[in-house]
């Protein structure tokens, strides 16, 4: 029974140790905000957007082809309009000529009507004279002659009277014939003028109708083009945005994988020991423990810890379970800037200096190995963001790398060094 109890205790302890090793790994998984499935979903969304974009571009190309054809059609109509307008101008000139001819003929008719009136008046006076004289007896006129010479004179007078009457009648008849012909020509010109005018009005109406149809087609296609162009731009913007999101997600995912791998490697290196590396994944050393040239004054000096460069704000983890004995909340009170000290028992203590703010632990607080206690900074006597990691054994400073046997670090000169 006792052996069985011991086995249970051993299993529990082993499980606790395994859990303490796996906690940082699990914490990385918990911090992971991007998964491969998320990336695949973004790629699927991007593929859909690209397909829609391709379709929109095809429709836009087709509508632009239609627009080009419509513009060609409108140009042909415009050419026809120009030719028809020239024809209209020529026809208008013809109408103007008809108007001028009609005006001349109307003036001629008025003059003929005036002549007709004068001739008619003359004819009327001649008839009236004959009525007043009771008629003319040409034989009595001849017998009234006193001599042969008088008879000849009377004969000539009678001939003149007869000729004059005939001429009046003939002139009146000729004038009336001219009037009939002038009126007939005038009516012919007016009929031709009306026909030309009617044809021109039909052409104008047809051109206006076709011009309006072409403009409506242009407006419709232009509106469609604008709509499709807007859709294509929106899809292009969406594609660019999703591409950016995809790159960012892939970058974050790669960084998470790298951090996970580094942390796993760190835990594998430390699985055989009791100490946790305070900056997982960062094993480059910028300044070792011991003698060195001071980076600020250039003088030979003894370096009391190990400097590990890292970006400002990088989390700092406790190297081992312990109790916080010191928290410096005044960055100007010490060359360490903001720092804290953790006592681990058996005379061992670790110091974490140059933090970017007051450490997030308090004096007297118990901390566990792998717990975040602060963040990398460059406060105090420092030339850049890094962690000054220091080991004290019974108050005496020692090389902290001795706590990490089996781990490999990069020295300030770029070579490889081993802990332990």
């Amino acid at each position: 029974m006792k052996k069985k109890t011991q086995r249970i205790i051993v299993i529990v302890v082993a499980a606790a140790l395994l859990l303490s090793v796996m906690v940082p790994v699990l914490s990385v998984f918990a911090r992971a905000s991007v998964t491969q499935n998320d990336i695949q979903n973004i790629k699927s969304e991007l593929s859909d957007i690209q397909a829609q974009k391709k379709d929109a571009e095809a429709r836009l190309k087709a509508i632009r082809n239609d627009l080009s054809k419509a513009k060609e059609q409108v140009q042909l109509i415009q050419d026809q309009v120009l030719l028809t307008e020239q024809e209209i101008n020529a026809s208008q000139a013809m109408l103007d000529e008809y108007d001028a001819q009609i005006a001349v003929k109307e003036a001629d008719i008025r003059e003929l009507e005036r002549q007709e009136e004068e001739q008619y008046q003359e004819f009327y006076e001649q008839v009236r004279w004959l009525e007043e004289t009771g008629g003319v007896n040409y034989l009595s006129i001849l017998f009234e002659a006193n001599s042969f010479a008088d008879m000849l004179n009377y004969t000539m007078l009678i001939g003149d009277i007869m000729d004059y009457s005939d001429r009046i009648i003939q002139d009146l008849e000729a004038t009336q014939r001219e009037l009939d012909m002038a009126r007939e020509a005038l009516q012919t010109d007016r009929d031709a003028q009306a026909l030309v005018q009617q044809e021109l009005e039909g052409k104008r109406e047809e051109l206006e109708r076709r011009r309006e149809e072409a403009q409506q087609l242009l407006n419709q296609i232009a509106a469609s083009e604008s709509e499709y162009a807007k859709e294509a731009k929106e899809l292009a913007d969406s594609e660019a945005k999703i591409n950016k999101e995809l790159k960012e997600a892939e970058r974050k995912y790669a960084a998470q994988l790298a951090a996970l791998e580094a942390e796993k490697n760190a835990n594998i290196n430390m699985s055989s020991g009791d100490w946790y590396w305070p900056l997982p994944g960062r094993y480059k050393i910028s300044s070792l423990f011991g003698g060195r040239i001071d980076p600020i004054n250039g003088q030979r000096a003894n370096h009391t810890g190990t400097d590990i460069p890292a970006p400002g704000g990088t989390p700092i983890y406790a190297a081992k379970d312990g109790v916080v004995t010191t928290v410096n909340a005044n960055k100007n009170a010490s060359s360490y800037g903001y720092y804290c000290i953790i006592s681990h028992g058996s005379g061992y203590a670790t110091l974490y200096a140059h933090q970017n703010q007051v450490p997030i632990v308090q004096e007297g607080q118990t901390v566990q190995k792998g717990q975040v206690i602060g963040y990398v900074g460059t406060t105090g006597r420092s030339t850049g963001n890094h962690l000054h990691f220091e080991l004290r054994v019974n108050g005496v400073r020692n090389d902290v790398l001795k706590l990490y046997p089996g781990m490999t670090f990069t020295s300030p000169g770029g070579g490889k060094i081993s802990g332990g």
Side-chain angles (χ1 to χ4, degrees):
M1 185 68 178
K2 182 180 287 185
K3 289 183 178 180
K4 185 176 181 181
T5 302
Q6 290 176 346
R7 288 180 63 188
I8 293 174
I9 293 173
V10 169
I11 292 173
V12 171
V13 172
L17 291 174
L18 179 61
L19 182 61
S20 66
V21 172
M22 290 300 293
V23 164
V25 178
L26 293 174
S27 66
V28 172
F29 281 113
R31 293 195 301 271
S33 59
V34 179
T35 66
Q36 186 63 43
N37 188 52
D38 293 333
I39 292 177
Q40 188 58 44
N41 289 338
I42 294 176
K43 287 183 177 179
S44 297
E45 184 178 359
L46 178 61
S47 178
D48 292 341
I49 289 293
Q50 288 172 339
Q52 295 178 39
K53 178 186 173 186
K54 185 176 180 181
D55 178 66
E57 288 174 346
R59 285 183 283 138
L60 182 59
K61 183 178 180 181
I63 203 71
R64 282 175 175 166
N65 288 337
D66 291 341
L67 180 61
S68 178
K69 293 178 181 177
K71 287 180 177 178
E72 291 178 2
Q73 181 180 356
V74 171
Q75 184 59 50
L76 290 174
I77 293 175
Q78 293 292 351
D79 294 341
Q80 291 177 349
V81 168
L82 179 62
L83 292 173
T84 304
E85 286 177 347
Q86 292 175 355
E87 184 179 5
I88 289 173
N89 292 335
S91 297
Q92 186 62 53
M94 185 183 300
L95 284 177
D96 294 341
E97 182 65 24
Y98 274 133
D99 290 341
Q101 291 178 6
I102 288 172
V104 170
K105 289 179 179 179
E106 286 177 343
D108 291 343
I109 288 173
R110 285 194 297 272
E111 177 63 21
L112 289 172
E113 287 175 344
R114 185 188 63 78
Q115 292 179 9
E116 181 186 36
E117 180 65 25
E118 290 180 352
Q119 290 169 351
Y120 180 78
Q121 186 65 31
E122 185 178 4
F123 175 74
Y124 174 78
E125 289 177 356
Q126 177 66 17
V127 171
R128 184 178 179 183
W129 176 78
L130 291 174
E131 289 178 352
E132 288 176 353
T133 58
V136 178
N137 189 337
Y138 295 110
L139 290 176
S140 63
I141 292 175
L142 291 175
F143 287 134
E144 287 180 1
N146 297 320
S147 65
F148 183 73
D150 288 340
M151 186 179 67
L152 289 177
N153 288 332
Y154 285 140
T155 300
M156 291 180 63
L157 176 61
I158 293 170
D160 289 339
I161 292 172
M162 293 179 66
D163 289 341
Y164 177 73
S165 298
D166 290 341
R167 183 181 60 80
I168 290 175
I169 294 172
Q170 290 173 358
D171 288 345
L172 181 59
E173 290 177 346
T175 300
Q176 289 176 341
R177 284 195 298 271
E178 287 183 16
L179 273 174
D180 291 339
M181 292 176 62
R183 289 191 176 102
E184 183 179 353
L186 177 62
Q187 187 60 44
T188 300
D189 288 349
R190 282 177 173 169
D191 291 343
Q193 179 191 43
L195 182 60
V196 171
Q197 187 69 36
Q198 183 179 1
E199 290 177 353
L200 286 181
E201 291 301 325
K203 289 179 180 179
R204 283 195 179 100
E205 291 177 1
E206 175 65 16
L207 280 178
E208 288 302 322
R209 185 183 64 78
R210 295 190 62 187
R211 182 183 292 174
E212 184 177 353
E213 289 178 356
Q215 189 59 49
Q216 288 177 352
L217 178 61
L218 274 178
N219 293 341
Q220 181 180 356
I221 295 176
S224 299
E225 180 190 26
S226 176
E227 180 181 352
Y228 289 154
K230 180 181 178 182
E231 180 183 354
K233 183 179 183 305
E234 290 175 351
L235 289 171
D237 292 343
S238 297
E239 181 186 24
K241 180 180 178 182
I242 293 175
N243 267 323
K244 184 177 180 181
E245 292 176 355
L246 177 61
K247 289 180 180 179
E248 180 64 16
E250 289 177 337
R251 183 192 67 77
K252 287 182 178 180
Y253 186 63
Q256 290 170 190
L257 291 179
L260 177 61
E261 186 66 22
E263 193 156 344
K264 285 170 64 178
N265 291 336
N267 284 298
I268 291 172
N269 287 336
M270 293 182 294
S271 62
S272 60
D274 297 330
W275 297 88
Y276 186 83
W277 187 246
L279 295 179
R282 301 190 181 278
Y283 306 107
K284 180 179 179 180
I285 307 301
S286 59
S287 185
L288 294 166
F289 175 80
R292 68 165 184 174
I293 300 299
D294 190 294
I296 295 179
N297 58 30
Q299 301 296 319
R300 187 74 183 177
N302 184 51
H303 190 221
T304 59
T306 299
D307 290 346
I308 312 163
T314 302
I316 301 171
Y317 300 91
K320 194 176 182 181
D321 296 348
V323 177
V324 179
T325 59
T326 304
V327 173
N328 178 38
N330 185 353
K331 65 178 180 179
N332 299 318
S334 170
S335 60
Y336 287 134
Y338 293 125
Y339 72 94
C340 64
I341 299 175
I342 301 174
S343 174
H344 306 288
S346 302
Y348 282 77
T350 50
L351 179 144
Y352 310 82
H354 306 307
Q355 297 184 35
N356 69 345
Q357 62 181 32
V358 178
I360 61 174
V361 292
Q362 298 177 353
E363 293 180 1
Q365 179 180 341
T366 298
V367 296
Q368 295 179 341
K369 179 172 62 175
Q371 177 180 337
V372 177
I373 59 174
Y375 301 94
V376 172
T378 183
T379 57
R381 196 169 183 270
S382 171
T383 58
N385 288 309
H386 72 285
L387 170 64
H388 176 88
F389 187 30
E390 187 172 307
L391 170 65
R392 296 179 182 181
V393 181
N394 295 319
V396 179
R397 293 179 175 88
N398 281 262
D399 185 0
V400 75
L401 296 184
K402 293 180 179 180
L403 300 177
Y404 300 92
M407 289 186 63
T408 301
F409 303 94
T410 302
S411 69
K416 300 296 181 180
I417 56 175
S418 299

